[in-house]
Amino acid sequence: MGARGRRGRKAAAPRITVDAVWIDRRRVLLVRRRFPPFRGRWALPGGFVEPGESVERAVARELAEETGLSARPRRLVGVYSEPGRDPRGSTITVAFRMVGRAGPPRGGDDAREAAWVPLARKGRLAFDHDRILADALRRRAPVTSRRSRASSGFPAAGSGGSAAGGGRRGTPRGGSAR
């Protein structure tokens, strides 16, 4: 049975989005939004997951589209689903710490501009991106090696204790490193 809204109408299913948290030398990669909501405000690079696309591929694609930079997910920051976090409707965001070769970004797609912004000067971000960034800064634990990430079943993860990780570091909940 589907969930019903306040007036008995079937509630729309949440849309899945991704956000990229890339920190390099005490700077964070941000984009200035071209369109509402939060037009003109700084935000983490990210966007909607396309049908048939993994969240890991989506975050790398959105990062490239909005900043012109290439990076890969290093680890899961968290999953964010608070009702009202996006004024366009219900969304569930999967946020990743990214790693790659930092270079000069350029705004593209729905980002008016992209820049490396010193963490101390970032100001208030769009959506709940301040919370996501704070969580990423709190969870700066070392990441397991590429080999153990590959064998864990979580190519982008590597830190235990998150909603997606569970179990021992680098292994799925209840799993073992092979």
Side-chain angles (χ1 to χ4, degrees):
M1 210 178 215
R4 298 279 175 190
R6 285 188 177 160
R7 297 210 169 111
R9 289 184 228 137
K10 190 170 184 175
R15 295 184 67 192
I16 300 172
T17 62
V18 291
D19 286 316
V21 181
W22 192 353
I23 299 168
D24 180 64
R25 294 183 294 183
R26 303 294 303 158
R27 303 172 304 166
V28 61
L29 183 62
L30 298 176
V31 296
R32 192 175 299 275
R33 291 185 53 82
R34 184 182 308 267
F35 304 111
F38 303 106
R39 179 186 305 183
R41 217 69 167 260
W42 289 109
L44 295 168
F48 291 98
V49 177
E50 295 177 355
E53 184 177 44
S54 72
V55 291
E56 294 85 0
R57 287 190 202 283
V59 74
R61 174 186 52 78
E62 285 287 345
L63 181 78
E65 288 176 0
E66 294 185 354
T67 70
L69 298 176
S70 178
R72 64 178 172 79
R74 181 176 186 191
R75 69 176 177 80
L76 180 68
V77 172
V79 176
Y80 302 84
S81 61
E82 187 69 29
R85 62 176 302 278
D86 187 328
R88 297 170 293 190
S90 181
T91 61
I92 297 171
T93 292
V94 182
F96 290 96
R97 279 294 296 265
M98 305 299 286
V99 63
R101 185 172 294 208
R106 58 173 167 65
D109 194 32
D110 54 356
R112 189 169 74 203
E113 73 178 290
W116 290 103
V117 177
L119 286 165
R121 293 192 213 141
K122 68 163 185 61
R124 187 148 190 260
L125 302 179
F127 303 101
D128 56 355
H129 292 183
D130 288 309
R131 177 180 173 206
I132 294 170
L133 179 58
D135 287 351
L137 290 168
R138 245 191 322 277
R139 298 175 185 152
R140 291 184 82 146
V143 175
T144 59
S145 71
R146 177 178 285 235
R147 181 174 176 216
S148 63
R149 273 197 315 269
S151 65
S152 72
F154 292 105
S159 59
S162 71
R168 292 187 319 270
R169 176 169 286 168
T171 62
R173 189 179 317 275
S176 62
R178 291 190 223 5

